[in-house]
Amino acid sequence: MERYQHKRVSRRKGWPRWLPAVLFLAAVVIDIARPAVNTYPLLAAVPVAAAPVFSLAWTIASGVAAILMEALLLQLEGGTSLTGTGVLIPFLSTGILTVIAAFLNRAFAREREQLRTSRQVAEAVQRAVLPALPGRVGGLAVAGKYQAAQEEASIGGDLYGVHDTPYGVRMVIGDVRGKGMQAVTMVNTLLGTFHAAALHLPHLPDIVRGLEMLMQDAKNLQGGATNENFVTAVVAEISPDHSVLRMANRGHPTPLMVHDGKVTRLEPEEPSLPLGLGDLAGSDVPVDRFELPPGATLVMFTDGIIEARDRNGVFFDPVPSLAGPLPPDPEAVLDAMLTALFRHTGELEDDAAALAITRDQANVERDPLRRGGVGPPTVATASSSRPRSEIG
C-alpha cells in the first residue's frame, strides 16, 4: 500500500492550518469596523496557533507579521506614537508569545518525528510477520496488502496467509483484538498454527478447531476469566481443480467475489462467533461452499477498510469500486479498491489488510493436473442460492 501514501490528506493539516490566517484577518476586519474594540489579543494568538501546524520559520514569521499589523492598526487609529509605555505592552506581549510559540513548535516537531519513527518501526515489525506474498500460489494469482493506521504507532493485529497444500490452496485472513507486542505475538502464533494445520489436516473445520484451541489455551494462560481476547477470521480453501471455494467465517467482514464486472457478497449461511469465543457456541464449524468460476477474484479484508469513514462519518463500501470492468488480476482488483478507499477517507484510522486471489482461465487450461483428472469446472457465479452449509 505504499503507493497510496501520497494520497492521504491528513485531517490534522486541514482546518487548523487556516486558523492563524483566520485570527489575523478577523483582527484586521474587527479593528477597521469597530475601532473601539481591542483586537491585539487576536493578533497575539496568531503565532501560537501557527506553532503546531507550521515550520519554525513560518511560526516566527507569523509573529512578526502580527507585530507589524499591530503597529499599522495603531497608526491608522490616529497616529499615536509607538514609543509610549502603554503602547509597547501589546508589542511586547506578542513578541513573548512568538518566542513561546517557537519553543512549542520545536517540541511538536520532535513529537511528530518520534511518532513517525515509531510508526516506521511498527510497520517494519508487521511486515516481518506478514512478508510479501508470491505472485502465484498453487496455480492461483495472489496479492496481499497491509497498511498501518496513519494516527497510530502501535503494531496492529491484522494477519493473512496463503499456502498450497495437498488439499488445495488454503488461506486465512484475520484481525486480533488489540495492538502492541501482545497482538503481534498472537499473529505470529496463529500464522504458525495455520501453516502446520493447513498442510496436514484434510478437513477445513479441523483447521478452525485447531485455531480455536490455540485461542482457548491463550485464555487459560491468562486466567480464563475474560472473553476480551478473540480474533475475527476467515479460513478458506480452494479445491485442487480451482472450481470450488469453501469458507468458514468466524465473525469477520464478509469477503467479496469479483467476476465479469459484478460483485457478490459471500455471506455465511450461519453466523459464527470469532475465534476465542467458540466455547460459548459449541464445537460445530459451519463451512459455506461457493463455485469459483474462471476469471473470478476472491477479495478478503479486515475491518480497517470497511470501518474507514469520510469527514461526514460515512463508512467506506468497497463494492462500488469493484463493480465495473477490471482485469482478472488480484493486484489490479486491490489497486481499484484501495484507490477508492483513500479517495473516500484520506487516511486510515485503523490498520488494514487485504488479500485477493484470482482463478485465471489460462492457468486452468494449461494445467490439467490441477483439475484432478476431471472435466472442465462448471462456470457459474456465487450467489445466495448456494448449497447448504457443511457442518464439521
Side-chain angles (χ1 to χ4, degrees):
M1 288 189 183
E2 291 87 348
R3 73 180 65 183
Y4 307 100
Q5 294 278 19
H6 71 281
K7 297 181 181 179
R8 295 181 177 188
V9 180
S10 176
R11 289 168 184 158
R12 186 188 70 249
K13 295 182 180 180
W15 67 265
R17 293 182 68 87
W18 294 98
L19 184 57
V22 170
L23 292 173
F24 190 91
L25 292 176
V28 174
V29 171
I30 294 174
D31 191 273
I32 294 175
R34 298 290 182 89
V37 177
N38 183 7
T39 59
Y40 294 133
L42 288 176
L43 289 171
V46 169
V48 178
V53 291
F54 288 102
S55 66
L56 177 62
W58 276 102
T59 299
I60 295 175
S62 67
V64 172
I67 293 175
L68 293 177
M69 182 54 66
E70 288 175 352
L72 178 61
L73 292 177
L74 191 62
Q75 287 293 92
L76 293 176
E77 287 175 2
T80 306
S81 172
L82 300 179
T83 59
T85 302
V87 174
L88 290 177
I89 291 179
F91 299 150
L92 182 61
S93 299
T94 304
I96 292 174
L97 286 175
T98 300
V99 173
I100 294 174
F103 281 103
L104 289 175
N105 178 272
R106 291 296 83 202
F108 290 138
R110 284 193 296 271
E111 288 183 0
R112 285 195 294 269
E113 183 60 30
Q114 291 173 355
L115 180 60
R116 187 179 302 110
T117 301
S118 298
R119 188 180 298 120
Q120 290 172 350
V121 171
E123 290 198 37
V125 173
Q126 191 82 36
R127 294 182 194 284
V129 176
L130 297 178
L133 294 173
R136 302 192 74 83
V137 176
L140 297 167
V142 177
K145 305 284 186 180
Y146 167 79
Q147 179 63 60
Q150 175 71 4
E151 300 298 332
E152 296 287 346
S154 298
I155 304 171
D158 292 26
L159 63 100
Y160 55 73
V162 183
H163 296 294
D164 187 19
T165 77
Y167 314 103
V169 176
R170 286 175 163 174
M171 65 215 75
V172 64
I173 188 167
D175 187 358
V176 177
R177 182 186 181 277
K179 291 182 179 291
M181 289 308 300
Q182 182 177 357
V184 80
T185 299
M186 181 57 67
V187 166
N188 196 36
T189 304
L190 283 167
L191 287 176
T193 302
F194 171 75
H195 176 70
L199 290 175
H200 299 291
L201 297 179
H203 303 297
L204 191 66
D206 292 335
I207 300 176
V208 178
R209 292 190 187 99
L211 297 175
E212 178 64 38
M213 289 177 61
L214 176 69
M215 294 298 300
Q216 294 296 331
D217 289 343
K219 271 170 55 172
N220 292 334
L221 290 175
Q222 297 176 1
T226 177
N227 288 319
E228 295 182 356
N229 293 333
F230 58 85
V231 180
T232 65
V234 171
V235 183
E237 67 180 11
I238 296 175
S239 61
D241 66 355
H242 298 171
S243 64
V244 175
L245 167 68
R246 295 181 180 86
M247 182 183 302
N249 191 327
R250 307 294 291 195
H252 199 72
T254 301
L256 306 175
M257 184 180 293
V258 181
H259 184 236
D260 286 344
K262 298 180 180 179
V263 182
T264 303
R265 298 182 187 272
L266 304 183
E267 299 280 359
E269 185 175 296
E270 182 178 338
S272 299
L273 292 174
L275 298 172
L277 302 179
D279 55 334
L280 304 178
S283 60
D284 286 343
V285 179
V287 176
D288 295 282
R289 182 185 182 278
F290 305 90
E291 292 182 354
L292 185 66
T297 298
L298 172 65
V299 182
M300 300 186 289
F301 39 79
T302 58
D303 58 10
I305 288 181
I306 60 172
E307 291 183 358
R309 293 176 289 184
D310 63 11
R311 64 183 60 189
N312 297 318
V314 178
F315 290 103
F316 175 70
D317 181 4
V319 171
S321 63
L322 302 178
L326 290 173
D329 174 70
E331 194 81 29
V333 170
L334 290 186
D335 284 348
M337 181 177 70
L338 297 175
T339 298
L341 169 66
F342 284 104
R343 188 185 300 120
H344 176 85
T345 189
E347 66 182 29
L348 293 178
E349 298 178 355
D350 191 10
D351 295 349
L355 179 65
I357 300 177
T358 298
R359 178 194 180 193
D360 54 84
Q361 177 66 45
N363 178 262
V364 172
E365 291 176 347
R366 70 171 176 262
D367 192 0
L369 294 179
R370 298 296 299 180
R371 293 183 294 176
V374 298
T378 301
V379 179
T381 57
S383 66
S384 58
S385 58
R386 58 184 182 271
R388 194 166 65 91
S389 296
E390 304 168 8
I391 303 295

